[in-house]
Amino acid sequence: MAHCEGPSSRDRLMGLLLLTTTGTAVLLILAQATEMAALRDAALALVALAALIVIVRVAGEQARA
């Protein structure tokens, strides 16, 4: 029987980044369609949070190496 492993932490991070970029695109489209500036602000916050997560992750990997 073959041993199957689950997704690695890098795979999970890539999934998170895919969700944040997709969510950002949806928020920006909705902001343009509804003319709600708050949705643009939410999209900006989502991108900033994703960038922060990536920076912390890379710094953590470099500290271990």
Side-chain angles (χ1 to χ4, degrees), residues 7-62:
S8 68
S9 60
R10 285 187 177 185
D11 294 332
R12 293 173 197 259
L13 180 63
M14 290 305 296
L16 178 66
L17 291 176
L18 177 64
L19 286 174
T20 56
T21 54
T22 303
T24 300
V26 169
L27 286 173
L28 288 173
I29 290 169
L30 285 173
Q32 187 67 27
T34 61
E35 299 179 5
M36 290 182 62
L39 291 176
R40 278 192 299 273
D41 294 342
L44 181 61
L46 190 60
V47 167
L49 182 60
L52 182 64
I53 290 170
V54 170
I55 290 169
V56 168
R57 168 72 182 184
V58 169
E61 283 186 4
Q62 289 178 350

